[in-house]
Amino acid sequence: MTDGPQAVVIEAPLVKPKVGRENWVMRAGLAVIGVYLLVAVVFPLYTILSKSFQDSRGLFVGLDNYAEYFATPALFYSINNSLTVSVISMVITVGLAFGYAYGLTRSCIPGKGVFKAIALIPILAPSLLPAISLRYLFGAQGMIKGLLMGETIYGPIGIVIGEVFWTFPHALLIIFTALSLSDARLYEAAEALGASKLRTFFTVTLPGAKYGLISACFVVFTLVITDFGVPKVIGGGYNVLAVDIYKQVVGQRNFQMGAVVGLVLLAPALLAFVADRMIQGKQVALLSARAVPYEPKPDRRFDLAMLAFCGTVAFVIIGILAVAQFAALVKFWPYNLSLVLDSYQFDLMDGGSWGAFWNSLKMAAWTAVIGTAVIFTGAYLVEKSKGFEHGRGLIQLMCMIPLAVPGIVLGLAYIFFFNAVGNPLGFIYHTLIILVLCTITHFYTVSHLTAATALKQMDAEFEAVSSSLKVPFYKTFVRVTVPVCIPAILDISIYLFVNAMTTVSAVIFLYSADTQLASVAVLNMDDAGDTAPAAAMGMMIVYTSATVRLLHFLLTRGIARRTQAWRKR
Amino acid sequence: MRTNLLKRLTAALAMGVFALGIGGGVAVAKTDLLVYTSIEADELAKFKNAFEKDYPDINIKWVRDSTGIMGAKLLAEKDNPRADIVYGMAATVLLQLIPYNYFQAYAPKGVEKLNPLYVDPKNNPPLWVGQRAYVAAVCYNTIEGKKANLPIPKTWKDLTKPVYKGHVIMPNPGSSGTAYLDVSSWIQMWGEEGAFKFMDALHKNISRYTHSGSKPCKLAAAGEIPIGVSFAYRVVKSKAAGAPLVLITPEEGLGWEVEAMAIVRNTKNLAAARALADWTISRKSMELHAPGYAEVALPGIPNPVKDFPDVGGKMIKNDFAWAGANKARIVKKWTARYDAKSEPRKKK
Amino acid sequence: METDTSAAAGEARPPYLKVENVTKKFGDFTAIKDICLEVFESEFVCFLGPSGCGKTTLLRAIAGLDIQTHGRIEQAGRDISNLPPTERDFGIVFQSYALFPNLTVFKNVAYGLENRKTAKADIAARVDELLQLVGMPDQGPKYPAQLSGGQQQRVALARALATSPGLLLLDEPLSALDAKVRVRLRHEIKELQRKLGVTTIMVTHDQEEALTMADRIVVMNEGVIDQVGTPLEIYRRPASPFVADFIGAMNFLSAVAGGDGTVRIDGVGLSAIECVCVQDEGTAVTLCLRPEDIVTRGVESGAPNAFEATVADLEFLGSFYRASLTAKGVENTRFQADFSVNLVRDLGIEAGKTLTVAFPADRIRVFADS
């Protein structure tokens, strides 16, 4: 339009590509995924977030709720507090995770497999477990409360420790991947140029891992700012935004205000997300370079130092869990320290039962199976299909939203949407299906990103080759894409499984008489004052997830031996 | 004999097929009654077993969570309620749901024998019927209290003494119904100005505010704090588990809350829901309700818990309607004054 | 455009592939503009050009992978302009090989056959035949990762040929390979193509590859075709300075047209047999001449187009020397000439020596400066 008369040249008619049968299949697939995401993510969230513009009777009031909310001085404390703990947790977590990952990738310390396994344990634990441990360690009767030098654990210190423990594995996974991808040739060049170790670190290692580090920062920041579990149980009176939602929704049953805070909370999380996406976009180019993997050489002093560092971190992780296990066995802390097994009789306890445990197992298994199938297929269609640019962009955005939504908001959204009069899907309410659906949605984003990363690493031309051979894309998906991506698919399924075992915030509103869950039981038992059984059930979840992880590891190795023979030269 | 056996077998088989047909191993004749409740979980089995013994064709299915979570769930479901009956739920929560036409009126058999304080005064037949009352209470950890040289407080006002500075925990009325019970009772006793003056002084002694109403006495039981403001049942329970606690019922008067039941408007199991309501206010059931609670709806049933203080006389004249109507305003005022405890004090 | 022999020979038969006014836009960016091209049966055509010139876009439009925005494509008399790839008739090989890593060599080659409900025995026979053809018998049970790059590309080729497509498309097939393997494979591919007679289009940015393999080369630049011709034509008579620069080594010298078929470089007068365009006197032009076309042995001073030049530098490149020369008295005109090892030895050429050199008139190309 800008270049005047020249643009008015009569153009040849546009070529309208013929839509073949295969295209229809692909479009149908995309449509199904799109509808799924609308039903599972967009519609429910709309039902709750639209309440921020309504009064308690559902009448539209514009921005009144926002005006009221922003007129509250306590809000600024909450925003300030949320940002403070999120930033501090982010710095500490990413720092520790970087050191740990550095030790695992750049030194010759023994037992790297064990160290990596230990570092991932916190993902397996319900967030209440570290909170209980922290109380036993640093509370008024704490075993090592002297370390806090008079400061209380119930406040920002506790929140930060709890969040660091919980987010450490997430950061480690990302940074570990980033460091593993570094190119050995750069190190050889640095060495040849006579650069010192320190100089090499600042000129080669850090820039190489830059995107991974930034990405880890954003993930940790988003996880911390949307989490209400840790601040609620250990935060004392230190108000953060996520707890404000809890107070509005659960304490005062004021959904309108809860929705307002939910939207406020969405802002920093979305900001972090957008920035992260932009950086991720740049990282792709970095990954596609043909790099030579780096092999560390032994260096006694450096290796010892790294061993000491990783050992300390691993010790702390194990220590926190050991204290939780201790809490499960102790008769009455801190006045009767004899160890008993009473706590495992869940059927006699408040709020929990072995039934809840089996329900959790069932729910986690379905979540893993269905979630992996849906998420991986969805990611495939978004990544590998042609045309439909806008539709695919929208689907991608919908895949990203769940990361920024606090579980409590998601849970209520599911009630509003699925229990609405006339919703044809109403029959899934109060069943295991809604729990599975909600859990898949809650953990959709990270799973989708994992799938998308794996798919991006595949040759971009597989689909072109198969269409030239007149093999429809879905056959190639089954025969090639899925088998090649088996490691990522197993990773996604295990991620969904362990998170389904531990999740509380979203499902607490959705379980029913026949679908009680172990993770909710942990919370309720602790709520009822039964700390020991709560810890016991929490540890059961850890052991279960650990066992499943171990099985997953053996399975992966077995599958690798049989079907991934092609990976080895 | 033979034909008889054959008949029975056929009947059993038919029933089995029918049971399969409706998609579960549940015996055909039984009605599943979906009950939303916030009763402490350890009591659920007790009520369920006793009720089902009397009504073998009804099967109670509990959905239990804390008052806050259940309240939010109930309100979120208001357009399409799922429960058959809400049971053992704080009356203030029920009052909040009544404007949404949530319940249907029913006068359970024997309702006339109940203490009138426990029956919906606005509707006849009543929309809700109380089961029992729990009272605010203070708990004192003898071991930690001795360590810190703290005298056992006797009154609410005692708690404002400088000696208790940093040794008291109470729940946050913004997140806990129990805490609002305390705050509204103080206002009803001393007027709003007097109550806030008291809370100003108390605030100086508070170590921190918790989100759960039961947490303060749990923390006291675990030695985290010498003194907690909570409710009586929690103290009784922790003591039974071995906690060195003393239950204190301050002399000025106690806030209290009714645990009540109400039948949901669109229940498909009305007969079963009514049966549960009828059974609940029977003497046998009321006796099951009593342990650890201040008072049950049916007069003349003592609390069997040993050394449970007699609180009947201390229970204030509680105006639930007033408390409900003013909640938002009072919580807002409270939040503005006190809800930033761990903040470094900033001058505005 | 130059006349070219294949096109002339092809007048008798209709083209196998006809590309008419094809334009492809990506948003506001026009990748190829109004391309017209004819490819004849059994011909080996190379699309040559720097990266971003649109050659791959054109190939993908022909394959239907990225269908053109405007224009028409016809294959074997059938209008395929808007057909999806599955409804066209081609086999394709990519730079990345795109072998299915989880399938054996055998399964990879059989991939397209299995979908056609061909009998198992027939598939096995066909795969064996193809592997034999690409020189990899007995490699069937191996996985792609166990093969070298060159072997993988052979498998990819066998896979593309398995279904006997009418058109073979090669997208930079040799770029990812080592230099030596590349040279060997390009002969093999050419050989195979000749044997099978399959019409082939190859995209490459490597002029040497194009020159050695193609029957005809299509030189592309900035979304348009600059020249189509046999390798010899393209090399000898580049149609534009771009083509001249892109293919082979070339001296570019600023000159002024004399208007009568002569040009002058700072006082040195030269005659050129072919001027691409009629040049008015005084027009600034660029004179192009390949280093290997500059002669010195037996050139007398006073011979046509001869002048004296000084050797500024001499670079040994193995089979020959590349000399940097300056025309005597014209310091700022530098050009390069390739001298054989024999010549350098015979004439004792070394830096600083002055030679009489000649620019053969039939080798000079002149382009008007734009």
Side-chain angles (χ1 to χ4, degrees), chain A residues 81-82 85-86 127 131 153-156 158-160 162-163 166 223-244 246, chain B residues 208-211:
Chain A
N81 288 352
S82 268
V85 290
S86 301
S127 62
I153 188 74
Y154 302 105
I159 297 179
V160 168
E163 299 286 10
W166 176 54
L223 284 174
V224 174
I225 206 165
T226 55
D227 176 50
F228 85 100
V230 173
K232 187 189 154 245
V233 295
I234 201 97
Y238 194 79
N239 288 327
V240 294
L241 288 171
V243 170
D244 281 355
Y246 177 85
Chain B
R208 64 197 158 91
Y209 298 98
T210 64
H211 293 297

Side-chain angles (χ1 to χ4, degrees), chain A residues 154 247 429 511 514 526, chain B residues 61 64 77 218 224 339:
Chain A
Y154 302 105
K247 279 202 278 196
Y429 192 67
Y511 72 88
D514 298 324
D526 182 66
Chain B
K61 300 208 132 196
R64 193 217 89 92
E77 289 179 353
K218 267 154 54 189
E224 286 292 305
D339 195 9

Side-chain angles (χ1 to χ4, degrees), chain B residues 41-59:
Chain B
D42 58 341
E43 288 191 297
L44 294 181
K46 174 176 84 180
F47 289 127
K48 180 177 161 77
N49 292 340
F51 173 73
E52 287 175 2
K53 199 180 269 172
D54 293 351
Y55 292 84
D57 53 346
I58 298 175
N59 178 33

Side-chain angles (χ1 to χ4, degrees), chain A residues 491-548:
Chain A
D491 277 352
I492 294 168
S493 61
I494 195 78
Y495 173 84
L496 288 173
F497 184 91
V498 298
N499 278 302
M501 285 300 289
T502 58
T503 188
V504 171
S505 56
V507 293
I508 197 163
F509 292 104
L510 299 173
Y511 72 88
S512 183
D514 298 324
T515 54
Q516 294 181 32
L517 299 173
S519 53
V520 177
V522 171
L523 201 74
N524 280 340
M525 284 192 281
D526 182 66
D527 223 32
D530 297 317
T531 309
M537 181 69 101
M539 288 308 289
M540 277 304 295
I541 293 176
V542 173
Y543 294 137
T544 309
S545 294
T547 309
V548 171

Side-chain angles (χ1 to χ4, degrees), chain A residues 376-430:
Chain A
F376 187 80
T377 313
Y380 173 81
L381 289 169
V382 169
E383 288 293 325
K384 300 284 181 184
S385 61
K386 300 235 160 201
F388 257 158
E389 304 295 334
H390 295 295
R392 276 160 59 206
L394 270 178
I395 290 180
Q396 219 153 4
L397 182 67
M398 288 195 276
C399 294
M400 295 304 153
I401 294 173
L403 184 68
V405 178
I408 200 169
V409 174
L410 188 66
L412 279 173
Y414 266 53
I415 298 188
F416 285 126
F417 180 66
F418 287 102
N419 192 44
V421 183
N423 185 331
L425 291 171
F427 69 91
I428 72 167
Y429 192 67
H430 270 186

Side-chain angles (χ1 to χ4, degrees), chain C residues 56-289:
Chain C
T56 299
T57 307
L58 182 56
L59 187 87
R60 292 180 75 89
I62 291 170
L65 296 170
D66 290 310
I67 290 177
Q68 70 277 12
T69 322
H70 310 286
R72 195 164 174 283
I73 300 176
E74 197 177 278
Q75 182 181 358
R78 188 166 71 119
D79 182 359
I80 58 165
S81 302
N82 67 344
L83 297 184
T86 37
E87 294 178 33
R88 302 189 183 199
D89 178 22
F90 70 97
I92 192 162
V93 174
F94 291 101
Q95 176 181 353
S96 61
Y97 327 132
L99 290 179
F100 304 131
N102 61 321
L103 303 180
T104 59
V105 166
F106 182 94
K107 288 272 177 193
N108 262 285
V109 177
Y111 200 78
L113 300 170
E114 283 174 353
N115 198 50
R116 306 188 154 186
K117 302 198 175 88
T118 317
K120 270 207 163 146
D122 294 346
I123 292 177
R126 175 76 176 142
V127 173
D128 283 345
E129 180 194 339
L130 285 158
L131 289 179
Q132 194 83 41
L133 201 61
V134 297
M136 292 187 55
D138 314 323
Q139 304 277 31
K142 284 195 178 167
Y143 284 102
Q146 295 165 307
L147 305 177
S148 70
Q151 288 175 313
Q152 290 191 48
Q153 202 54 297
R154 284 190 179 93
V155 175
L157 195 61
R159 182 178 63 181
L161 292 169
T163 53
S164 311
L167 181 63
L168 178 63
L169 303 177
L170 309 170
D171 186 3
E172 304 256 8
L174 304 172
S175 304
L177 301 171
D178 295 341
K180 267 198 170 163
V181 181
R182 201 150 62 199
V183 171
R184 203 171 64 220
L185 209 54
R186 79 185 179 213
H187 287 298
E188 287 182 22
I189 291 176
K190 179 69 193 167
E191 195 89 340
L192 195 63
Q193 191 267 339
R194 212 170 276 156
K195 198 154 91 191
L196 298 175
V198 57
T199 312
T200 302
I201 297 175
M202 179 170 95
V203 161
T204 180
H205 64 269
D206 182 331
Q207 38 141 332
E208 207 176 306
E209 232 166 78
L211 292 171
T212 53
M213 295 172 82
D215 295 327
R216 277 194 304 152
I217 296 174
V218 176
V219 185
M220 294 182 67
N221 185 32
E222 293 180 343
V224 296
I225 295 179
D226 260 32
Q227 189 173 7
V228 181
T230 63
L232 205 63
E233 283 167 349
I234 299 268
Y235 192 81
R236 278 284 167 77
R237 289 197 292 280
S240 70
F242 168 79
V243 177
D245 188 27
F246 191 72
I247 292 159
M250 184 68 85
N251 288 305
F252 287 91
L253 297 164
S254 298
V256 178
D260 52 357
T262 62
V263 289
R264 302 192 67 77
I265 306 172
D266 278 348
V268 181
L270 299 167
S271 65
I273 285 178
E274 284 181 62
C275 267
V276 169
C277 322
V278 179
Q279 309 290 348
D280 292 336
E281 188 174 357
T283 319
V285 295
T286 300
L287 177 154
C288 300
L289 182 68

